[in-house]
Amino acid sequence: MVETGAMRQVAMAQGLMTIEGVPERFVQGLGRHLRLAADELRLVGGFANRDGRLDDATRILARATLADDSLHRAGFPDEAGQITLTIRPLAPGEDGRILLMLGFRDGEDDAGGFFADIFAPPAVFDALRRDMLSGGAQGLSLSATTSLWVHESEREAAPGLPVAWHLGLEADGRSSAPARGLVETLDWSGAPPQVAAAAQSTDDDEPLEATADQLARINWSLKQIALVLVFLLIVVALK
């Protein structure tokens, strides 16, 4: 493996990518989906000046990981841990498909490392934002077809076996090339089932506790009435 910034030869022919210093070739077009799971969703608002025009820069940020497989950079030794996920709305009237871009940014700060950008139609973005604000979207998952690469030996990997996805390498051999894809499924949900069940249990217990309190008060009142009757009977008997 060669460190970032070092030049090495990259050759692509007949759907195969060969990198100088890497013993195994890479291939695209694997017939399976990339799956990501994300949590810690948060809404970020703002505006940006683009070409002299003020645009809405509202976006959703999250922390994503691969559900089963792994993500790497062809020609480099690192592996993705947490992936910075950003969801942005497409402009009104743009393609109705949900687009995905995966890449790697050099840098030691929070902006560096593996990232994934989703570009969603306005209707999809607005629905996700509404559910986030109401607590109905605390985590999401997606599956997508992408232009990522895999080792040639993994081309026929069985569906149940994990594979190592790779970002490609730019023609200059120095930096990783971004991958693009189409999101085929995008799902989100609120609190985990166990949390929701606990909340429901609390709600269910409250009427029971209230009923028990009412019964206790009724029993106490009946005891007081019984004591008064006994006292009256004693008075009558004495007369």
Side-chain angles (χ1 to χ4, degrees), residues 3 10 31 35 38 43 48 71 78 80 112 123 144 149 154 166 169 179 184 186 239:
E3 294 300 322
V10 181
R35 301 184 186 278
L43 185 66
L71 178 62
D78 47 358
W149 300 81
E154 292 185 297
H166 291 78
L169 196 62
E184 299 198 359
L186 179 63
K239 290 182 179 180

Side-chain angles (χ1 to χ4, degrees), residues 215-233:
L215 289 174
R217 286 194 293 269
I218 291 172
N219 289 335
W220 184 84
S221 299
L222 290 175
K223 289 179 180 178
Q224 296 300 312
I225 294 172
L227 288 173
V228 171
L229 291 175
V230 170
F231 177 76
L232 292 175
L233 289 175

Side-chain angles (χ1 to χ4, degrees), residues 127-151:
L128 176 56
R129 175 168 55 182
R130 285 196 305 269
D131 285 352
M132 280 183 60
L133 295 176
S134 66
Q138 298 181 15
L140 62 81
S141 60
L142 67 87
S143 64
T145 56
T146 72
S147 60
L148 288 167
W149 300 81
V150 297
H151 286 126

